[in-house]
Amino acid sequence: VKSYFFICHHSCTFNNDKNTILFMIFETERLLVRKLVLDDLEAFHEMQSNDNVMQFVDGETKTFEEHLVELTDLINKYNLSNNDFWIYAIERKFDNHFLGTVALVKDGEDDEIGYRFLEKYWKKGYGSEICEGLIYHCKQIGIPKIVGYVVNKNIASAKILVRYNFKVVKQFINDDIKLLETKYELIL
């Protein structure tokens, strides 16, 4: 397993490209995880409209206008005191490009992690890097156990979780996309 350098922050960083103060959640060697902003809309829409990206999620793609509403809703959740659905942007450090999103979601008793990348950034090691960063971040904020759900046909994502010692909890048919899915967990 390749090791990456992580720093956890809950502070601001200045992004000169967008001339906006962005709130960094954590960073890895090559990636920065920060709050979403409306300037992410074009790349967010590109990712969420890609059939290959969405095939293991819910299988549905939406319009640009629907993604504007969705992104605005995700941004507004940052200010809710009882928010349990945190979606953040993944940005490449060297050029500040939006690569995808990462999720920290309360799912009943479980703390679920997830990540999604624009297809053009697949097979570059970013999935492993962000998974390791999420594990480290969750340990730092005191989460005792995390879970991840992977559709069995998504072999690359399943391999990442296994590589980081997630254990299979159960398998079931996903109600939304009617595919076999596995729940993994990792005790931190």
Side-chain angles (χ1 to χ4, degrees):
V1 174
K2 184 174 181 178
S3 182
Y4 298 95
F5 175 72
F6 304 99
I7 303 172
C8 283
H9 293 277
H10 291 282
S11 60
C12 297
T13 184
F14 190 73
N15 179 329
N16 290 324
D17 282 353
K18 296 177 184 168
N19 201 23
T20 307
I21 293 179
L22 304 173
F23 292 92
M24 184 167 50
I25 308 306
F26 69 87
E27 64 182 339
T28 68
E29 181 182 345
R30 301 179 295 167
L31 306 172
L32 182 135
V33 174
R34 59 158 174 83
K35 290 183 176 180
L36 289 160
V37 294
L38 287 177
D39 284 348
D40 295 324
L41 180 58
E42 190 174 311
F44 181 81
H45 174 68
E46 179 184 344
M47 179 181 70
Q48 298 289 99
S49 298
N50 182 309
D51 290 332
N52 291 329
V53 172
M54 299 305 290
Q55 69 180 322
F56 300 129
V57 183
D58 61 14
E60 293 183 22
T61 56
K62 298 176 184 170
T63 67
F64 188 84
E65 292 74 23
E66 288 171 318
H67 285 138
L68 173 60
V69 171
E70 181 181 355
L71 181 61
T72 302
D73 183 50
L74 292 171
I75 292 168
N76 289 337
K77 286 184 179 194
Y78 297 141
N79 298 319
L80 299 177
S81 60
N82 61 346
N83 183 25
D84 59 3
F85 194 85
W86 298 91
I87 307 295
Y88 299 112
I90 303 169
E91 180 177 289
R92 191 166 51 194
K93 284 181 178 180
F94 82 85
D95 60 7
N96 301 112
H97 281 153
F98 176 98
L99 304 187
T101 57
V102 65
L104 291 166
V105 177
K106 192 71 168 173
D107 181 22
E109 295 297 312
D110 290 328
D111 292 298
E112 181 183 348
I113 64 164
Y115 44 88
R116 186 176 306 164
F117 290 94
L118 285 148
E119 187 175 10
K120 62 188 169 188
Y121 299 116
W122 290 3
K123 300 182 183 180
K124 298 183 184 312
Y126 294 131
S128 292
E129 187 170 339
I130 206 66
C131 184
E132 188 173 354
L134 275 166
I135 292 167
Y136 183 81
H137 178 69
C138 290
K139 283 181 183 178
Q140 294 292 57
I141 62 174
I143 295 176
K145 176 185 80 172
I146 53 178
V147 301
Y149 293 88
V150 179
V151 170
N152 289 19
K153 288 184 177 182
N154 188 350
I155 296 166
S157 288
K159 284 182 179 180
I160 290 170
L161 295 185
V162 170
R163 180 181 310 134
Y164 287 100
N165 299 314
F166 281 75
K167 304 297 181 213
V168 172
V169 175
K170 69 177 181 177
Q171 292 191 332
F172 58 96
I173 300 295
N174 179 304
D175 291 334
D176 294 328
I177 56 177
K178 309 297 183 221
L179 294 173
L180 186 62
E181 186 167 317
T182 300
K183 177 182 179 181
Y184 295 85
E185 77 175 19
L186 178 67
I187 306 299
L188 305 175

